[in-house]
Amino acid sequence: MANANELIDDIGFHLERLGLSRTSGRVIGALMLASDATADAPTLTEQLGVAKSSLSAAVALLERYGLVQRMPGASRRERYRLTEGLFESVFFSKQGELGAFADLAERVLDQGDLAPEAQARVERMRDFYRFLLAEYPRLLERWEESRRS
Amino acid sequence: MANANELIDDIGFHLERLGLSRTSGRVIGALMLASDATADAPTLTEQLGVAKSSLSAAVALLERYGLVQRMPGASRRERYRLTEGLFESVFFSKQGELGAFADLAERVLDQGDLAPEAQARVERMRDFYRFLLAEYPRLLERWEESRRS
DNA sequence: TAGTATGTTCGGTATGTTCCGAACAAACCG
DNA sequence: CGGTTTGTTCGGAACATACCGAACATACTA
């Protein structure tokens, strides 16, 4: 049985693929393993062995991405909570990227006078991303449904 | 109407999000706009204004990713071709990543003795990625079908 | 109010990545 | 064969980024 730190590092390492820094990923890992999905800053710096400045930057990033929230509280000591449905929101936030690619294709079609073959290629690219964009909500519905059962 | 170079840069810029280098992205862009989706190396270095060493590295990367193929030919001068169905294969190649996340969750469940709430959270993560993994082939089928009409 | 705890900002350092040009290897051509 | 074209490998420069520690600002507490 691995200790918590190894698991946290494992999670953090994998989360780098999503464009997070190592430290941000490890913060997510620590929160994942915490029973109530929360922790405060001093505990995290201690547990992860990072400077508080690094933690501050990491949490700021996670907050911008909507993956972690600051918990309102009376105390000066801040508490952070993992966003509910974290991985779902990470996945479905890629819709923006899909839209960007569809727009890119559209822009190329608008601005360029392409050879017919090239035009067909770009149209197919556009159609594919439009297709995905249309399918994502359906995917989400299906997931919600499968969770209920 | 924008000139081809601007379009290539636009495509290249967006393709960096998929983890490609700028130069690799611009190679894809140039091939996208070429009528037959091919080009040879000297033309590309000239058109993109990069050193041939950079082009060599970029093409090697694209080949490893399966996005570009070397065309068999008699001449020493190599010709590169965009892989058919490029964007589809880019998208569906993410299945590997989904699997990695499912495995990660499984590993955490196996190795850690978690608080019940944490365990539920990790199980949900695992189930979500398994769900996506199962849905992807279905998505592909639907796209194929929608293309036929 | 003085002192302590908490979090952010800033400058410097270490690390990794991308690109270029030079050196090299191999194929083609006169 | 000798010279040229083509592509790869290698070393180094430029750049970006993450992290740390110090300085700072603000809120709590005695």
Side-chain angles (χ1 to χ4, degrees):
Chain A
M1 177 128 53
N3 67 35
N5 284 349
E6 289 172 9
L7 292 177
I8 288 173
D9 291 347
D10 199 354
I11 295 173
F13 179 74
H14 278 77
L15 258 46
E16 282 190 280
R17 301 201 201 184
L18 304 181
L20 302 180
S21 69
R22 181 74 54 106
T23 304
S24 296
R26 294 174 70 224
V27 168
I28 300 274
L31 293 176
M32 284 281 292
L33 301 188
S35 65
D36 60 352
T38 76
D40 60 33
T43 304
L44 285 173
T45 59
E46 159 70 16
Q47 185 178 10
L48 302 179
V50 300
K52 55 183 180 169
S53 56
S54 305
L55 185 76
S56 177
V59 169
L61 182 76
L62 293 173
E63 218 185 353
R64 272 201 303 283
Y65 286 3
L67 306 184
V68 159
Q69 287 140 6
R70 274 166 220 269
M71 294 176 71
S75 161
R76 179 78 217 275
R77 196 174 190 131
E78 292 187 348
R79 223 176 160 72
Y80 309 117
R81 177 175 42 204
L82 208 61
T83 294
E84 171 73 10
L86 169 80
F87 291 98
E88 287 92 331
S89 78
V90 164
F91 181 81
F92 287 106
S93 73
K94 298 240 174 83
Q95 284 182 90
E97 184 181 318
L98 299 178
F101 276 93
D103 292 348
L104 168 63
E106 197 70 75
R107 209 159 48 240
V108 172
L109 290 170
D110 281 354
Q111 298 189 349
D113 63 340
L114 307 173
E117 302 92 332
Q119 174 149 347
R121 211 152 40 233
V122 178
E123 282 172 353
R124 176 167 161 188
M125 167 183 169
R126 178 200 58 190
D127 293 344
F128 177 60
Y129 285 109
R130 281 186 180 167
F131 166 82
L132 290 178
L133 222 38
E135 287 291 328
Y136 262 46
R138 209 180 302 200
L139 211 53
L140 182 55
E141 277 172 34
R142 251 202 265 213
W143 164 242
E144 301 289 0
E145 185 184 345
S146 105
R147 277 199 74 211
R148 281 192 289 274
S149 54
Chain B
M1 178 128 53
N3 67 37
N5 285 348
E6 289 172 10
L7 292 177
I8 289 173
D9 291 346
D10 199 353
I11 295 173
F13 179 74
H14 278 77
L15 259 46
E16 282 191 278
R17 301 201 202 184
L18 304 181
L20 301 180
S21 69
R22 181 73 55 103
T23 304
S24 296
R26 294 173 71 224
V27 169
I28 300 275
L31 293 176
M32 283 282 292
L33 301 188
S35 65
D36 59 352
T38 77
D40 59 34
T43 305
L44 285 173
T45 58
E46 158 70 15
Q47 185 179 10
L48 302 179
V50 300
K52 55 183 181 169
S53 57
S54 305
L55 185 76
S56 177
V59 169
L61 182 76
L62 292 173
E63 218 185 353
R64 271 201 304 283
Y65 285 3
L67 307 183
V68 159
Q69 288 141 4
R70 276 166 218 267
M71 294 176 70
S75 161
R76 177 78 217 276
R77 195 172 191 134
E78 292 188 349
R79 222 174 160 71
Y80 309 116
R81 177 175 43 205
L82 208 61
T83 295
E84 172 73 9
L86 169 79
F87 291 97
E88 287 92 330
S89 78
V90 164
F91 181 80
F92 287 107
S93 73
K94 298 241 173 85
Q95 285 182 89
E97 185 181 319
L98 299 178
F101 276 94
D103 291 347
L104 168 63
E106 197 71 75
R107 207 158 50 238
V108 171
L109 290 170
D110 280 354
Q111 297 190 348
D113 63 340
L114 307 172
E117 303 92 331
Q119 174 149 346
R121 211 151 41 233
V122 178
E123 283 172 352
R124 176 166 161 189
M125 168 184 169
R126 177 200 59 190
D127 292 345
F128 178 59
Y129 284 110
R130 281 186 180 169
F131 165 82
L132 290 178
L133 222 39
E135 286 291 327
Y136 263 46
R138 208 180 302 202
L139 211 52
L140 183 55
E141 277 172 34
R142 251 202 264 213
W143 164 243
E144 301 288 2
E145 186 183 347
S146 104
R147 276 198 75 211
R148 282 193 288 275
S149 52

